[in-house]
Amino acid sequence: MNLRVVAAIARDEWRYWRRSKLGMISSAAVLLLTAASLLSTVTRVETERITRDNFQVEAEETFASQPARHPHRMIHYGHYVFRVPPPLSVIDPGVDAFTGTVMFLEGHRQNAAVFSLRYSAAQAGPLAELSPAFAYQILVPLLLIVLGFGSIPREREAKTDYLLYAGSVTATDLCLGKTLALAGAALLSLAPLGLGLVVAWGAGASLTIAVYLFIGYAIYLLTWVFLISALSGVVATAAASFSMLLACWVALCVVVPPIAGAVAMGSAPVDGKVASDYALGRALRSTGDGHNAADPAFAGLRAQLLEQYEVSDVADLPINIRGVVAQVAESKQGEILNTFADERMSKESAQSQVVGWFGLLSPALALKNFSVITAGTDLRQYHGFLRDAEAVRYDFVQKLNALHIEQLAYSDDIQRSNDPEAEQRTRLNAANWRMLEEVSSLPRPASTRLLEGFPHLLIMLAWCAFMAWVGVRNMKK
């Protein structure tokens, strides 16, 4: 192998691409789409981040500035939490495009997150979902195919390979030179990705994570470089090479991902909204009505309190039994709500794991799994938001129930609908409403994402090594 000859062949291939209208037009089109997707995603994510941050501050101020009210009215008045996109969502929005961004928190129920980005951008059509991750996973491999499908068959068809072999050029030099040229094109196409990662780093992303993500995309494109060089080196004509490579692209990038999704949904089916809401409602009815202290479901609680405080009537209790009933009911309901939520999340996580295994059949799917995990836009991150939101909901509801127990007289509480003065005495000062906890918008720790993404990186490395081995084997032939 002569390195000078290899470099000369690579330079000659680049000169050919510059003279080729197809190569130049396709390169310009893909690079423009990639740059446009980056600009669009950065603008959208930054706008969403500022908007949601402002809405979150407004929601907290609105809750805290409410006038004197009965504490249970504040439970039903509720509070909004907004999911802020992580910095690396400028590269890969992940599940953020499909999941809700706003959640209303109130007593006795867990509401779903609503207003996904796909819903918000519905009128913009499919191009609204174009992101740098999609461009590199789907479009850039197609560009590499256009550039490299005829690199070696072209020499055979023009009979120039005999002239090269008659000199000091070997078949290994020729294949390596063509591969080096294509690898250079792949490296050049990573420039917009690098720019996007710098933007994300400036917005607070971990530098280690940004470099890690760049390495993953580079390995993926290098896999395609080896695949293109290996297949184009064993076929006789450029047309046959293009057909085979296009079939590989369709199979790996277009066919396998939806098949993986369908298999995942079948392996761990999740109940629909109607069925799950019906089952949840039936389970919640067994906890009793937390608004009714005389509900038979709380007979044991009433007897326990009467015995504990050595009184014969709930009106003589030193605490407000209506608040106690509301607090106990919320605790029981919270357990049931969390049980159903955890069951649903476990099924969704099982589906995600099935999709992860399909990365063995498609490097595009392996990269997608690696990308969303590393960027902090995967299903685990969304589940974390749901759990944090539920913790905030339960915390402020039970704090309000505690105010109901300790600061409201039972006699005023039962008469407030008939006695205006009693109703006024059940209104607590607005200073009590400053109790809300924040929902964390930070992605999981960098070390966690590094470890969780590593298996998918190994799959891509295996694909890359396999394609390189196939290419080396073809060179020897």
Side-chain angles (χ1 to χ4, degrees):
M1 180 181 66
N2 190 324
L3 294 180
R4 290 184 178 180
V5 173
V6 170
I9 292 173
R11 287 195 300 270
D12 183 70
E13 190 70 10
W14 273 79
R15 281 194 293 268
Y16 174 80
W17 289 337
R18 286 198 297 269
R19 295 193 301 266
S20 169
K21 291 183 179 180
L22 177 62
M24 291 302 294
I25 292 174
S26 58
S27 299
V30 172
L31 289 177
L32 281 175
L33 274 175
T34 305
S37 69
L38 175 62
L39 179 61
S40 172
T41 307
V42 168
T43 302
R44 184 177 69 246
V45 169
E46 183 64 15
T47 302
E48 288 288 334
R49 185 188 65 79
I50 294 174
T51 302
R52 295 181 203 173
D53 278 339
N54 292 338
F55 280 151
Q56 188 64 69
V57 172
E58 183 179 349
E60 292 172 1
E61 291 178 351
T62 301
F63 186 91
S65 63
Q66 289 303 296
R69 293 179 185 270
H70 190 287
H72 202 78
R73 289 193 181 276
M74 289 300 293
I75 288 177
H76 288 286
Y77 180 80
H79 172 55
Y80 285 94
V81 291
F82 296 81
R83 185 164 57 89
V84 179
L88 282 171
S89 59
V90 299
I91 302 299
D92 194 340
V95 301
D96 287 4
F98 309 94
T99 53
T101 58
V102 185
M103 183 182 291
F104 179 60
L105 309 181
E106 60 178 328
H108 323 313
R109 61 187 302 174
Q110 288 179 358
N111 293 313
V114 294
F115 301 127
S116 67
L117 291 179
R118 168 172 277 194
Y119 172 83
S120 303
Q123 307 219 347
L127 290 179
E129 298 173 16
L130 184 63
S131 66
F134 175 83
Y136 281 101
Q137 292 164 16
I138 305 299
L139 300 181
V140 174
L142 195 58
L143 167 64
L144 296 178
I145 289 173
V146 171
L147 292 177
F149 77 93
S151 56
I152 297 177
R154 184 179 67 247
E155 304 289 353
R156 292 198 185 106
E157 290 177 329
K159 305 300 182 182
T160 53
D161 56 337
Y162 292 109
L163 297 176
L164 293 171
Y165 298 150
S168 59
V169 178
T170 65
T172 299
D173 293 335
L174 181 63
C175 292
L176 285 178
K178 302 292 187 179
T179 303
L180 180 61
L182 196 57
L187 182 63
L188 183 62
S189 71
L190 287 170
L193 176 65
L195 179 60
L197 291 172
V198 170
V199 172
W201 177 52
S206 164
L207 179 60
T208 302
I209 286 291
V211 173
Y212 190 58
L213 192 61
F214 185 88
I215 291 173
Y217 277 89
I219 291 173
Y220 173 71
L221 294 185
L222 194 60
T223 301
W224 276 101
V225 168
F226 290 144
L227 171 61
I228 293 167
S229 297
L231 283 181
S232 64
V234 296
V235 296
T237 64
S241 173
F242 183 74
S243 299
M244 291 177 62
L245 288 170
L246 191 60
C248 288
W249 177 81
V250 170
L252 298 177
C253 296
V254 180
V255 175
V256 173
I259 291 177
V263 172
M265 291 178 65
S267 64
V270 178
D271 292 336
K273 180 173 175 55
V274 174
S276 60
D277 285 353
Y278 176 77
L280 178 59
R282 186 171 58 181
L284 289 175
R285 282 195 292 273
S286 65
T287 64
D289 182 4
H291 299 92
N292 180 13
D295 191 302
F298 304 107
L301 175 63
R302 289 193 299 274
Q304 177 186 347
L305 291 173
L306 292 174
E307 180 181 358
Q308 178 181 348
Y309 290 99
E310 299 180 350
V311 294
S312 59
D313 194 299
V314 293
D316 298 325
L317 289 170
I319 56 176
N320 191 331
I321 190 172
R322 300 182 79 181
V324 176
V325 166
Q327 191 176 62
V328 171
E330 189 65 43
S331 176
K332 292 180 178 179
Q333 290 166 356
E335 292 178 1
I336 293 174
L337 290 170
N338 287 334
T339 298
F340 275 78
D342 289 343
E343 182 181 354
R344 183 179 185 86
M345 289 182 197
S346 65
K347 289 181 178 179
E348 291 173 347
S349 297
Q351 292 179 352
S352 181
Q353 290 178 358
V354 172
V355 172
W357 282 109
F358 269 82
L360 294 170
L361 303 180
S362 168
L365 200 52
L367 175 65
K368 185 176 181 179
N369 294 325
F370 168 81
S371 182
V372 294
I373 291 173
T374 308
T377 57
D378 61 332
L379 190 63
R380 293 184 187 93
Q381 187 72 26
Y382 178 65
H383 285 169
F385 166 77
L386 296 180
R387 291 190 173 97
D388 289 347
E390 168 56 18
V392 170
R393 184 200 73 84
Y394 186 78
D395 178 74
F396 87 78
V397 168
Q398 293 296 56
K399 284 178 179 178
L400 289 168
N401 283 328
L403 291 174
H404 192 173
I405 295 170
E406 298 166 4
Q407 298 192 25
L408 267 63
Y410 177 74
S411 58
D412 289 335
D413 207 14
I414 61 175
Q415 291 296 326
R416 62 191 175 90
S417 298
N418 303 319
D419 185 350
E421 293 183 1
E423 197 276 335
Q424 286 297 322
R425 288 194 294 270
T426 59
R427 290 175 175 260
L428 298 185
N429 189 282
N432 291 290
W433 311 150
R434 296 190 175 277
M435 59 173 59
L436 295 174
E437 300 290 338
E438 293 184 359
V439 175
S440 174
S441 60
L442 297 175
R444 299 190 310 286
S447 58
T448 301
R449 287 180 283 154
L450 287 172
L451 291 175
E452 290 176 352
F454 188 66
H456 304 287
L457 184 67
L458 283 180
I459 292 176
M460 287 192 291
L461 282 170
W463 270 96
C464 188
F466 174 72
M467 290 302 165
W469 175 78
V470 172
V472 169
R473 187 179 179 187
N474 290 342
M475 289 179 196
K476 293 180 179 180
K477 291 183 178 180

